[in-house]
């Protein structure tokens, strides 16, 4: 048997976690180095897998199956395709840089890194699972440590935020669970045997009513995580309260679980359900994009700006999904990756400032570029990615989403609202985004030097690891997008073929 | 050489990271890397132009090559490509030449600035982006570089980031251009939706036979919003005067000679689209004509030397846009070229003065010609060229625009254009008489600038004199048979138009002499007499105030309302659900453990029960 590379990617953090259990609490540096080494192994393996993925063959690759509960058809079966491979890479990059962004952590270091590694194991598990049961199991594994990480190591109303986040996500996942159980039972009856294998489940013909019902459950369940408006409020509060690395993972990766689930367990299994609900997603995502960006404009805390910008940017992912065509979905997955990297960069930098200045109040800053030129440059590059500047990954993603939604020829509300109008409204978000992000850059970093911040040291040494790695990633896929889009397209093409084969039905509107 | 033209932007593109990461601490080396890179690009641009001339590359038979940058089979092909025709060849030469001279000048101007190396890095990045824009063979690629030149503009306007005003100006420039780019992007999305390609030549082949002109007109109008922003046309002109916060060499290169002309260049590239739509052409012509007049009237009341030049740039760009609108792409591009030389010279001259005095208010200058002979004499040459005094460059190119308007029957635009010519001569020589002649002001110690600064001035002065001759109507195979739309054409000299524009230029200079040539209180009395008009002009028609009000009151007001809604209404609903739960929990205290795991367990149990209940009929089937 070939080397089980995906399992290795997932288990490297577990190995690190076990090692850390054996290290005494006071050996903080050893703990951090262990965490860094473990995540580095994941990163190297993820890059290897990414490079080795065979585009000509396509489909799911690096398969591995272990039977687990045969009676219910539950298997530990993993594999990645063009959709999940970039997300595995994203997770590996974000956790690796997240460990370095937590280098200054001093409080209960051992537990912190144990939970952090547990969290990322769950995330890897979701992206590599081909089995719906494990998919869900890992999903929960990722959510629970989040509660503790925010509740213990957080700031600003951390208990409230942790509880809020956990309740939102648990209630959401309860909806998804109902959907999954219903799906399992329906498919088992149709197939005559029990299975959780997603590929097999996708071959079943679900009747229209069932598709509408279960897709809606999935939309709520995974939509909370995306987050789709109006189920988004856990996210700004959660972002703000969470410690740096957790914010990075949270906005960088956890939100993508939602969008990934929506694509994998929603659109892929229930194309007709997706067609029915797509108009609703399209309308709500405009609220995400425009309303989220407007709110970001008047925030006073740096982390809230980034938090609401995530709400806005994830709206683009939803728009790509709602387009239900190749360009839109390619863009959606690309945006998941690009936004993950960009937002991780933002949180790493804001964390750096907060750690040194003990405040994130934008009004108290000004002229920080004098004291922290590298942080300022990094933040500006993040901002440029955020506003969709060509040459950075986010531009490619947003461009494809815009193209996908713009070329979708459909009219909603009985023909009075062309899809294209929604697309244009969403594209107007690029103006609002540029305004709020550059205003924040200006207020925080430009202007006269303020002597009260002269004690702040610029990022250097290990603090620069996240900055350099994340910016390099944005540039690589921004300048050579085919490295990313060819992969994603490989996974999206069969998915869209399935959507297009689904019989034409009227949407919700 | 043409086959390697793609290298032209690559040299400065490589210089950027080299300067930022390697040579930043060694300043002379940074300047050297930057200048060597743009020098190499200049040499290649000359080579390309030579080959275009010798090998019969014409507007109808350009050279194009491309490779796929991003392709999605059957849906989307985005090329990284090069399109070389006389239009691109001329533009390459103008951009590389002005950029080279500005970089040399900057060695002197930026001497001693802590950001010296960074400055050269940004200039290199700008040059690379601008040259990429010129070479682009499709809308996507031109948009790509269009955004990047915008970024460089933002970075360089805000170069003195410790100044609040500079930071604000950078933000304003970027956001205003974003509004325009939003329109531009939608425009070429519409084109893609119709024709399925971004490629200029493929579109040029397909557009004439397309029937649905309403849809096409929508696309063209949206594309035109791009140049309205980038070339600072009314009503999106507001960013350009503020952009003068940047170092003066930047104003010369980016905000006078090259980047702001990119909008005009885009109109030339997309000319097929516009030429097929008379209504849109008329819109373009009137936006340009109105902007030319509007900005010229503001320029006559300004006191800041760079702001006067900035409004002059807006006005001249208006001329170019107007030329495009009346269908004379040749005239528009010709004026773009000559304007690049003399306006770059004017800014560099102004920079030389600012460098010497650290003062920008012309009424606090005076008598500078005694101390700064090279600067002042080259500045005067450029001003004469701009004013359209024969036989300098600006005379020929402006004349071609006016003659075009006259010959094509746009009498209104012709009158506007002639009026603008008068105002141009007036405001330029108001500046010159006030700042350079008369008595020295007390406390000013003017001195001539170093050679690195004066040599570029002299070279540009020569170009401001001679560059017009390539397009003079007496030249048989001149500019109009090289850069054109449709068929090559020769424009017959229109002596009436020439005579009148010469007269108005001289009249403008004369009026400036009367009012400002000697100390007098006439200007002040005029300002007092026509107080309301004067205030309107000095305050730039209050357009900035209107935009600021809209942004702060409407934009931010709406944002605050959304924020309140999110925090109180949306959150309130969900917290309300929580409160209800808590309240009932209070009654059912025995069930309340305060333990998250228990909650989770309860939720899960409930879910499983509900699911089983729902699925009971189906489940029956499985068990059987």
């Amino acid at each position: 048997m070939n080397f089980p590379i995906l399992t290795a990617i997932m288990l490297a953090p577990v190995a690190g976690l076990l090692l850390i259990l054996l290290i005494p609490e006071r050996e903080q540096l050893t703990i951090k180095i262990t965490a860094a080494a473990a995540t580095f192994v994941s990163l190297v393996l993820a890059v290897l897998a990414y490079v080795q993925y065979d585009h000509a063959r396509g489909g799911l690759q690096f398969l591995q199956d272990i039977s687990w509960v045969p009676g219910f058809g539950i298997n530990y079966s993993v594999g990645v395709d063009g959709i999940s491979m970039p997300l595995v890479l994203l997770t590996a990059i974000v956790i690796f840089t997240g460990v370095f962004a937590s280098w200054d952590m001093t409080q209960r270091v051992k537990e912190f890194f144990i939970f952090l590694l547990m969290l990322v194991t769950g995330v890897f598990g979701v992206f590599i699972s081909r089995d719906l049961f494990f998919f869900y199991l890992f999903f929960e594994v990722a959510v629970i440590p989040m509660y503790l990480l925010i509740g213990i190591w957080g700031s600003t109303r951390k208990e409230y935020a942790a509880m809020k986040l956990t309740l939102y996500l648990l209630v959401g996942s309860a909806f998804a669970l109902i959907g999954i159980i219903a799906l399992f039972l329906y498919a088992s009856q149709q197939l005559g045997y029990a299975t959780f294998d997603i590929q097999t489940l996708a071959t079943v013909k679900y009747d229209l009513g069932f598709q509408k019902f279960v897709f809606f459950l999935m939309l709520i369940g995974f939509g909370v995580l995306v987050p789709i408006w109006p189920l988004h409020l856990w996210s700004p509060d959660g972002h703000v309260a969470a410690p740096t690395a957790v914010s990075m993972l949270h906005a960088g990766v956890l939100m993508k679980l939602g969008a990934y689930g929506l694509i994998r367990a929603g659109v892929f299994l229930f194309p007709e359900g997706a067609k029915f609900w797509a108009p609703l997603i399209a309308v709500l995502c405009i609220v995400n994009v425009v309303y989220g960006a407007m709110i970001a404009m008047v925030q006073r805390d740096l982390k809230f700006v980034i938090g609401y910008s995530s709400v806005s940017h994830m709206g683009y992912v939803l728009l790509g999904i709602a387009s239900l065509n190749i360009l839109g979905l390619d863009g959606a997955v690309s945006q998941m990756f690009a936004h993950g990297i960009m937002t991780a960069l933002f949180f790493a930098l804001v964390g750096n400032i907060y750690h040194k200045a003990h405040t994130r109040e934008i009004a108290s800053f000004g002229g920080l570029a004098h004291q922290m030129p590298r942080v300022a440059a990094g933040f500006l590059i993040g901002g440029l990615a955020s506003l969709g500047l060509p040459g950075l990954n986010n531009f490619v993603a947003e461009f494809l989403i815009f193209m996908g939604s713009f070329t979708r020829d459909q009219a909603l509300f009985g023909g009075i609202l062309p899809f294209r109008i929604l697309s244009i409204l969403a594209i107007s978000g690029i103006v609002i985004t540029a305004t709020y992000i550059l205003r924040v850059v200006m207020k925080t970093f430009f202007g006269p030097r303020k002597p009260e911040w002269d004690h702040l040291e610029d990022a250097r040494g290990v603090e620069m690891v996240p900055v350099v790695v994340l910016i390099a990633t944005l540039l690589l896929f921004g300048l050579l997008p085919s490295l990313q889009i060819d992969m994603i397209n490989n996974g999206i093409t069969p998915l869209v073929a399935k959507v297009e084969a689904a019989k034409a039905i009227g949407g919700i509107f | 050489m043409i086959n390697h033209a793609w290298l032209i932007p690559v040299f400065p593109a490589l210089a950027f990271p080299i300067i930022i990461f390697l040579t930043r601490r060694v300043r002379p080396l940074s300047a050297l890397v930057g200048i060597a890179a743009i020098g190499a690009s200049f040499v290649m641009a000359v080579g390309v132009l030579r080959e275009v001339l010798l090998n019969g590359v014409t507007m109808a038979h350009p050279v194009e090559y491309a490779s796929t940058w991003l392709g999605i089979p059957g849906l989307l092909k985005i090329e990284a490509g090069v399109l070389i025709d006389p239009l691109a060849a001329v533009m390459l030469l103008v951009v590389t030449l002005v950029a080279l001279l500005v970089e040399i000048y900057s060695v002197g101007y930026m001497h001693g600035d802590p950001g010296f190396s960074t400055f050269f890095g940004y200039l290199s990045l700008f040059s690379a982006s601008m040259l990429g824009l010129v070479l682009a063979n499709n809308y996507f690629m031109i948009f790509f570089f269009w955004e990047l030149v915008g970024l460089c503009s933002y970075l360089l306007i805000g170069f003195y980031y410790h100044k609040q005003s500079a930071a604000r100006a950078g933000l304003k420039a970027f956001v205003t251009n974003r509004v325009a780019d939003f329109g531009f992007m939608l425009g070429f999305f519409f084109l893609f939706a119709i024709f399925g390609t971004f490629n200029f030549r493929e579109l040029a082949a397909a557009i004439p036979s397309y029937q649905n002109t309403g849809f096409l007109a929508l696309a063209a109008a949206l594309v035109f919003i791009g140049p309205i922003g980038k070339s600072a046309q009314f009503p999106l002109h507001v960013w350009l005067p503020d952009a003068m916060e940047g170092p003066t060499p930047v104003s010369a290169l980016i905000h006078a000679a090259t980047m702001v002309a990119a909008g005009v260049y885009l109109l030339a590239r997309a000319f097929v689209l516009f030429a097929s739509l008379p209504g849109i052409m008329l819109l373009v012509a009137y936006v340009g004509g109105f902007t030319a007049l509007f900005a010229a009237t503001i320029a006559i009341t300004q006191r800041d030397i760079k702001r006067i030049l900035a409004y002059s740039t807006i006005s001249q760009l208006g001329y170019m846009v107007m030329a495009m609108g009346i269908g004379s792409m040749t005239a528009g591009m010709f004026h773009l070229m000559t304007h690049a030389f003399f306006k770059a010279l004017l800014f560099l001259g102004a920079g030389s003065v600012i460098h010497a005095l650290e003062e920008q208010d012309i009424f606090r200058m005076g008598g500078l010609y005694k101390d700064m002979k090279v600067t002042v004499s080259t500045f005067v040459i450029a001003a004469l060229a701009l004013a359209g005094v024969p036989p300098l460059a600006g005379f020929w190119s402006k004349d071609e625009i006016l003659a075009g308007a006259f010959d094509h029957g746009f009498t209104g635009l012709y009158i506007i254009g002639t009026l603008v010519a008068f105002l141009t001569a007036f405001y330029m020589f108001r500046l010159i008489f006030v700042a350079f002649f008369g008595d020295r002001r007390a406390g000013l110690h003017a001195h001539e600038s170093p050679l690195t600064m004066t040599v570029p001035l002299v070279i540009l002065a020569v170009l401001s004199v001679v560059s017009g001759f390539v397009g003079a109507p007496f030249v048989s195979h001149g500019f109009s048979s090289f850069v054109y739309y449709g068929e090559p054409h020769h424009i017959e000299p229109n002596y009436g138009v020439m005579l009148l524009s010469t007269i108005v230029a001289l009249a403008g200079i004369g009026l400036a002499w009367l009012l400002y040539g000697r100390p007098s209180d006439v200007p002040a009395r005029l300002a007092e007499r026509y107080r309301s008009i004067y205030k309107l002009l000095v305050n730039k028609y209050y357009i900035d105030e209107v935009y600021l009000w809209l942004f702060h009151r409407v934009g931010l007001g709406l944002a605050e309302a959304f924020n309140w809604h999110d925090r109180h209404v949306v959150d309130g609903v969900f917290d309300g659900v929580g409160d209800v739960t808590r309240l009932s929990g209070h009654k059912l205290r025995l069930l309340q453990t305060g333990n998250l795991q228990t909650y989770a367990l309860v939720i899960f149990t409930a879910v499983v029960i509900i699911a089983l209940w729902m699925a009971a009929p189906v489940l029956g089937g499985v068990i059987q």
Side-chain angles (χ1 to χ4, degrees):
Chain A
M1 198 184 110
N2 291 327
F3 176 64
I5 191 164
L6 297 177
T7 303
I9 290 172
M10 183 181 70
L11 290 185
V14 176
L17 183 161
L18 294 173
L19 272 175
I20 290 173
L21 275 175
L22 303 175
I23 301 171
E25 167 77 39
R26 63 179 182 280
E27 297 287 335
Q28 295 195 349
L29 188 64
T30 321
I31 290 171
K32 288 167 186 168
I33 290 174
T34 310
T39 53
F40 184 68
V41 171
S42 287
L43 177 60
V44 170
L45 292 173
V47 172
L48 270 179
Y50 193 93
V51 175
Q52 282 180 353
Y53 182 88
D54 183 354
H55 286 254
R57 196 151 54 85
L60 289 157
Q61 300 186 9
F62 311 111
L63 307 183
Q64 187 194 3
D65 297 272
I66 297 169
S67 183
W68 203 57
V69 185
F72 285 100
I74 299 171
N75 299 302
Y76 171 78
S77 59
V78 297
V80 287
D81 64 357
I83 303 172
S84 43
M85 188 69 248
L87 299 173
V88 171
L89 181 66
L90 167 72
T91 310
I93 293 173
V94 171
I95 183 63
F96 175 69
T97 55
V99 168
F100 284 97
S102 322
W103 213 257
D104 49 34
M105 170 74 63
T106 50
Q107 178 206 0
R108 298 172 79 174
V109 174
K110 186 167 168 172
E111 288 89 343
F112 179 79
F113 281 99
I114 288 173
F115 286 131
L116 195 65
L117 292 174
M118 194 191 293
L119 165 60
V120 82
T121 306
V123 177
F124 276 129
V126 173
F127 288 138
I128 64 176
S129 288
R130 280 154 51 219
D131 184 283
L132 205 53
F133 180 85
F134 271 91
F135 176 92
Y136 189 78
L137 184 73
F138 284 126
F139 188 86
E140 294 298 324
V141 170
V143 171
I144 299 303
M146 189 63 98
Y147 173 74
L148 299 167
L149 284 164
I150 296 176
I152 298 173
W153 287 273
S155 58
T156 322
R157 295 212 295 166
K158 58 187 181 182
E159 289 86 4
Y160 168 77
M163 180 63 94
K164 185 172 188 176
L165 175 141
T166 311
L167 286 178
Y168 265 79
L169 298 195
L170 281 181
V171 171
S173 68
F175 277 92
L177 184 64
I178 298 173
I180 288 171
I181 293 173
L183 159 68
F184 169 74
L185 296 171
Y186 189 104
S188 303
Q189 191 200 27
Q190 295 284 311
L191 291 165
Y193 60 92
T195 183
F196 277 100
D197 180 64
I198 297 174
Q199 295 295 317
T200 315
L201 292 174
T203 60
V204 176
K205 287 259 168 283
Y206 303 95
D207 76 54
L208 186 58
F210 184 79
Q211 291 217 14
K212 285 182 190 172
F213 173 62
V214 181
F215 187 90
F216 181 71
L217 293 177
M218 300 290 186
L219 180 59
I220 305 267
F222 293 115
V224 169
L225 207 52
V226 170
I228 193 168
W229 188 89
L231 307 175
H232 64 286
L233 269 161
W234 61 274
S235 101
D237 286 332
H239 278 84
V240 169
T244 301
V246 178
S247 297
M248 288 168 73
L249 272 173
H250 178 230
V253 183
L254 209 69
M255 287 177 163
K256 280 69 197 179
L257 291 186
Y260 177 73
L262 199 55
I263 293 175
R264 185 70 84 191
V267 179
F268 183 54
L269 296 180
F270 308 109
E272 287 170 21
K275 278 190 173 178
F276 180 77
W277 290 108
L280 177 69
I281 302 176
V283 171
L284 290 182
C285 80
I286 302 307
V287 182
N288 266 65
V289 169
V290 177
Y291 174 95
M294 292 289 275
I295 293 176
M297 187 128 57
V298 290
Q299 295 307 306
R300 292 169 181 84
D301 179 315
L302 276 176
K303 269 196 168 183
F304 267 115
V305 176
I306 313 305
Y308 275 104
S309 95
S310 287
V311 173
S312 174
H313 281 107
M314 290 305 285
Y316 286 134
V317 173
L318 290 170
L319 180 65
I321 294 173
S323 305
L324 288 178
N325 55 24
I326 288 184
L327 292 176
L329 280 158
D330 278 353
V333 179
S334 176
Q335 172 80 347
M336 285 154 72
F337 184 92
H339 174 260
I341 299 288
M342 173 203 84
T343 202
L345 173 63
F346 271 136
F347 280 119
L349 291 165
V350 172
N352 197 298
I353 296 172
Y354 181 61
H355 181 69
K356 293 167 182 168
H358 306 292
T359 180
R360 294 183 304 252
E361 184 82 22
I362 296 168
S364 68
F365 294 127
L368 277 192
H370 295 278
Q371 292 92 351
M372 309 178 97
R374 291 193 197 131
V375 171
F379 199 95
L380 178 61
I381 293 173
L384 296 172
S386 172
L387 57 80
L389 190 86
L392 296 165
N393 198 168
N394 305 59
F395 169 70
V396 178
E398 288 176 10
F399 191 81
L400 288 174
I401 292 169
F402 296 159
M403 293 281 297
S405 61
F406 197 84
T407 51
R408 177 164 179 84
D409 210 5
Q410 190 194 10
L412 312 177
F413 296 108
I416 54 164
L417 179 69
F419 203 88
R420 188 165 286 159
I421 299 290
L422 293 177
S423 174
I424 290 171
L425 283 173
I427 298 173
S428 76
I430 65 170
V431 178
I432 310 174
T433 306
T435 310
Y436 76 73
I437 208 78
L438 292 181
R439 262 165 61 91
V440 167
V441 169
M442 177 181 80
K443 289 179 177 177
T444 309
F445 295 104
F446 298 157
R449 184 185 191 107
K450 283 193 177 177
E452 65 259 42
W453 299 123
D454 278 350
H455 66 281
L456 300 186
E457 282 180 12
D458 199 6
R460 63 197 163 97
V462 286
E463 293 172 346
M464 283 304 284
V465 173
V467 182
V468 171
V469 171
L470 295 168
I471 291 176
T473 310
L474 290 175
L475 276 171
L476 175 70
F477 293 119
L479 293 172
L480 301 170
S482 53
L483 291 179
Q484 179 183 64
I485 304 300
D486 289 355
M487 169 83 78
I488 294 172
N489 194 48
N490 211 322
I492 289 297
T493 307
L495 183 86
V496 172
K498 195 159 179 290
V499 173
E500 275 165 8
K503 69 174 190 291
I505 58 160
I508 177 171
F509 298 133
Chain B
M1 203 59 103
I2 288 181
N3 292 329
H4 297 103
W6 60 274
L7 278 171
I8 294 176
V10 170
F11 295 124
L14 291 176
F16 170 64
I18 291 174
I19 291 171
I20 296 295
F21 293 114
L22 298 178
T23 69
R24 190 134 62 116
R25 279 157 208 276
V26 193
R27 294 168 174 222
L29 208 55
S30 299
L32 192 70
V33 170
I35 292 172
I38 194 67
S41 301
F42 172 64
V43 171
M44 285 203 68
V46 173
V48 167
L49 183 64
R50 184 175 154 273
E51 271 183 36
V52 167
L53 286 165
L54 294 180
N55 299 0
V57 176
T58 62
M59 294 303 284
H61 299 100
V63 179
E64 182 179 2
Y65 50 86
S67 58
T68 302
W69 184 70
L70 177 61
I72 292 173
L75 287 172
L76 181 66
K77 190 175 81 169
I78 297 177
E79 293 176 324
V82 167
L83 176 63
I84 300 275
D85 56 8
L87 175 66
V90 167
M91 198 72 184
L92 284 177
L93 187 77
V94 171
V95 172
T96 52
L97 179 57
V98 177
L100 177 63
L101 292 172
V102 166
E103 287 202 25
I104 292 171
Y105 175 95
S106 302
V107 174
Y109 188 86
M110 298 301 287
H111 180 80
D113 192 291
F116 185 87
S117 289
T118 314
F119 184 77
F120 277 89
Y122 289 167
L123 278 191
S124 297
L125 181 63
F126 169 75
S127 306
S129 312
M130 186 69 208
L131 292 166
L133 187 155
V134 172
L135 286 173
N137 75 330
N138 64 69
Y139 275 101
F140 177 86
M141 195 175 152
I142 215 168
F143 181 79
F144 190 103
F145 290 113
W146 182 273
E147 294 289 300
L148 289 186
V149 291
L151 165 69
C152 298
S153 168
Y154 166 79
L155 292 173
L156 284 161
I157 293 169
F159 188 75
Y160 300 125
Y161 62 85
H162 56 272
K163 281 170 66 184
Q164 200 68 259
S165 56
R168 279 191 187 287
L171 174 70
K172 184 174 177 181
F174 198 97
V175 171
T176 312
N177 272 291
R178 258 285 145 139
V179 175
D181 298 347
F182 168 54
F184 178 23
M185 192 188 228
L186 291 181
F188 72 82
F189 274 3
F190 272 112
L191 289 178
F192 185 87
I194 303 169
F195 300 105
T197 179
F198 293 129
N199 185 286
F200 289 126
R201 293 178 69 208
E202 286 172 21
L203 284 168
I207 285 171
S209 57
Y210 184 73
Q211 297 302 318
N212 189 348
T213 49
F215 207 37
L216 203 58
L218 177 62
L222 287 167
V223 168
F224 179 51
I225 297 177
I228 288 180
K230 197 64 94 197
S231 292
Q233 298 297 291
F234 180 85
L236 295 182
H237 63 282
V238 289
W239 65 274
L240 188 58
D242 288 20
M244 298 300 125
E245 289 283 346
T248 308
V250 169
S251 312
L253 175 63
I254 301 183
H255 303 120
T258 58
M259 185 192 82
V260 289
V264 179
Y265 182 75
L266 173 67
L267 290 176
R269 266 278 163 255
F271 210 74
V272 181
L273 172 62
F274 290 93
S276 63
L277 300 159
I280 301 295
M281 285 293 264
L282 210 58
L283 174 74
V284 173
Y286 275 97
V287 167
F290 178 76
T291 306
L293 181 61
F294 165 85
T297 56
I298 298 177
I300 58 175
T301 59
Q302 299 298 307
R303 299 169 63 100
D304 180 308
I305 186 168
K306 286 181 76 179
R307 280 187 175 259
I308 297 172
L309 294 178
Y311 281 105
S312 165
T313 304
I314 296 174
S315 172
Q316 297 299 308
L317 289 165
Y319 262 139
M320 296 173 213
V321 171
M322 182 176 103
M324 293 291 168
I326 60 177
S328 183
M329 175 181 138
T330 303
M333 287 305 297
F334 185 30
H335 197 58
L336 187 161
M337 179 180 79
T338 61
H339 176 261
F341 296 138
F342 58 69
K343 189 53 71 59
L345 173 53
L346 287 171
F347 270 109
L348 294 185
S352 182
V353 172
I354 296 166
H355 186 68
L357 304 179
E358 298 191 358
E359 176 59 67
Q360 297 191 194
D361 185 340
I362 57 171
F363 287 96
R364 295 204 200 137
M365 301 175 187
L368 296 179
Y369 76 98
K370 292 160 194 151
D371 303 309
M372 306 182 75
K373 296 232 161 45
V374 181
T375 300
V376 170
S377 50
T378 53
F379 194 98
V380 171
I381 291 171
L384 287 168
L386 171 58
V389 174
L392 279 76
F395 169 74
W396 303 110
S397 55
K398 188 186 292 179
D399 184 66
E400 192 160 327
I401 296 173
L402 295 178
F406 190 78
D407 295 344
H408 289 85
F410 295 99
T411 315
L413 288 172
Y414 170 72
I415 293 169
I416 290 176
T418 309
L419 189 58
V420 172
F422 171 75
L423 292 172
T424 307
F426 173 74
Y427 67 67
M428 280 317 295
F429 279 83
R430 167 179 172 264
L431 188 166
I432 284 174
F433 291 131
V434 170
F436 296 160
F437 296 99
D439 297 326
R440 282 198 183 101
R441 299 283 143 88
L444 286 181
H445 302 287
H447 56 85
E448 188 54 278
S449 297
L451 275 181
T452 49
M453 291 168 68
T454 49
V455 170
L457 294 182
V458 173
I459 296 173
L460 284 168
V462 172
L463 287 166
S464 302
V465 177
V466 302
S467 64
F469 295 123
V470 298
F474 311 110
V475 181
S476 59
H477 285 285
F479 199 81
S480 61
S481 55
F482 188 54
V483 177
Y484 53 84
Y485 171 73
E487 296 296 317
H489 49 284
H490 182 72
I491 295 169
E492 290 305 317
N494 186 329
Y495 295 104
V497 171
M498 275 189 204
L499 185 66
L500 188 63
S501 66
T502 309
I503 290 172
V504 297
L506 294 174
I509 296 171
L511 184 65
W513 166 250
L514 283 177
L515 291 177
Y516 297 99
R518 310 149 283 186
S520 90
D521 61 346
V522 181
R525 275 194 288 134
L526 279 174
E528 196 51 45
R529 176 97 169 71
Y530 300 101
R531 194 170 169 71
S532 53
I533 297 176
Y534 177 75
K535 285 201 74 163
L536 191 65
L537 295 182
V538 165
N539 291 301
K540 307 156 279 185
Y541 298 93
Y542 297 99
I543 290 172
D544 279 305
E545 281 71 14
V546 171
Y547 287 172
L548 269 180
W549 184 84
L550 281 175
F551 177 72
H552 282 281
R553 290 298 147 97
V554 181
L556 288 185
L558 198 61
E560 290 285 4
F562 281 167
N563 190 33
W564 185 87
H565 173 261
D566 209 46
R567 282 287 147 201
H568 294 93
V569 181
V570 182
D571 212 14
V573 168
F574 286 91
D575 275 357
V577 172
D579 286 343
V580 169
T581 316
R582 202 173 312 148
L583 217 66
S584 42
H586 200 71
K587 304 287 174 203
L588 305 167
R589 192 183 292 254
L590 288 177
L591 292 178
Q592 176 97 349
T593 62
N595 178 321
L596 187 77
Q597 285 90 326
T598 315
Y599 293 156
L601 191 69
V602 170
I603 291 171
F604 274 69
T605 315
V607 161
V608 172
I609 291 168
I610 293 168
L612 288 174
W613 170 70
M614 272 185 345
V618 190
L619 196 67
V622 179
I623 293 165
Q624 282 158 17

